[in-house]
Amino acid sequence: MDLPERVFAHKVSSRVGRVRVPFAAYSVPQLVRIVRARLEAADAAALFDSDAVEFCARKVAGISGDARRALDICSNIISDMFASPAVRLIQHLPLHQLALLLAVAKIARLWCAFEQYGSYCLRLEPERSERRHELQALVHKRLKQLLDR
């Protein structure tokens, strides 16, 4: 980096001195250790897959090897995750609206499970494929029973 030459005027740089201290670039394993340690210290390690941390470390090590750049990338990712409009909306929902949203999400997952079950049944018993509408009606009826509880 040529920071002293670019930032300081000639008079100031002569008083500061032109002694340069070279810093070696960090290697991939070093960057992985640094990033993981900082994520764990910030209780954010669960947000990142180990492959994602290694990918970030490889990219940064290939360009500059600067640990600050790798940490900035992770920080920007975390900021983007919590800055999305959907996340902000959910964070500011009143308690009862949040409970309703969670209930709808559970129902959607349950519906997907029933649909998946129906498709498995059709694959296991292809001779009953003509009875597909019956099976779908059965799935709909069972889901309605569960929702009416």
Side-chain angles (χ1 to χ4, degrees), residues 47-48 72-88 91:
L47 297 174
F48 288 87
D72 282 343
I73 291 170
C74 293
S75 175
N76 290 339
I77 290 171
I78 292 172
S79 297
D80 289 347
M81 282 177 14
F82 291 107
S84 75
V87 171
R88 280 191 303 232
Q91 286 174 338

Side-chain angles (χ1 to χ4, degrees), residues 2-149:
D2 61 346
L3 186 64
E5 289 84 6
R6 283 192 293 150
V7 175
F8 296 133
H10 181 64
K11 291 180 182 179
V12 175
S13 66
S14 66
R15 280 185 255 142
V16 172
R18 294 191 183 215
V19 178
R20 296 186 96 16
V21 180
F23 290 97
Y26 285 107
S27 66
V28 174
Q30 290 172 324
L31 284 172
V32 168
R33 274 195 310 259
I34 291 168
V35 170
R36 281 188 183 149
R38 292 294 290 273
L39 288 172
E40 288 169 4
D43 289 332
L47 297 174
F48 288 87
D49 188 38
S50 61
D51 291 338
V53 172
E54 188 169 340
F55 179 75
C56 176
R58 286 190 186 287
K59 289 295 183 180
V60 171
I63 295 171
S64 65
D66 189 357
R68 295 170 299 176
R69 179 70 182 133
L71 294 171
D72 282 343
I73 291 170
C74 293
S75 175
N76 290 339
I77 290 171
I78 292 172
S79 297
D80 289 347
M81 282 177 14
F82 291 107
S84 75
V87 171
R88 280 191 303 232
L89 177 71
I90 291 170
Q91 286 174 338
H92 293 96
L93 282 177
L95 180 64
H96 291 284
Q97 289 179 355
L98 187 60
L100 180 64
L101 181 65
L102 290 173
V104 168
K106 278 191 169 185
I107 290 169
R109 272 187 266 148
L110 185 63
W111 175 253
C112 289
F114 275 121
E115 288 289 320
Q116 192 68 36
Y117 172 73
S119 67
Y120 284 146
C121 287
L122 289 175
R123 275 189 238 141
L124 291 174
E125 300 180 35
E127 66 276 357
R128 293 189 182 184
S129 61
E130 68 276 353
R131 296 179 58 196
R132 180 166 200 242
H133 295 294
E134 288 180 39
L135 183 60
Q136 284 180 335
L138 181 67
V139 167
H140 287 275
K141 181 181 174 186
R142 182 65 180 134
L143 182 61
K144 186 167 174 33
Q145 288 173 350
L146 289 171
L147 292 177
D148 289 341
R149 284 186 191 176

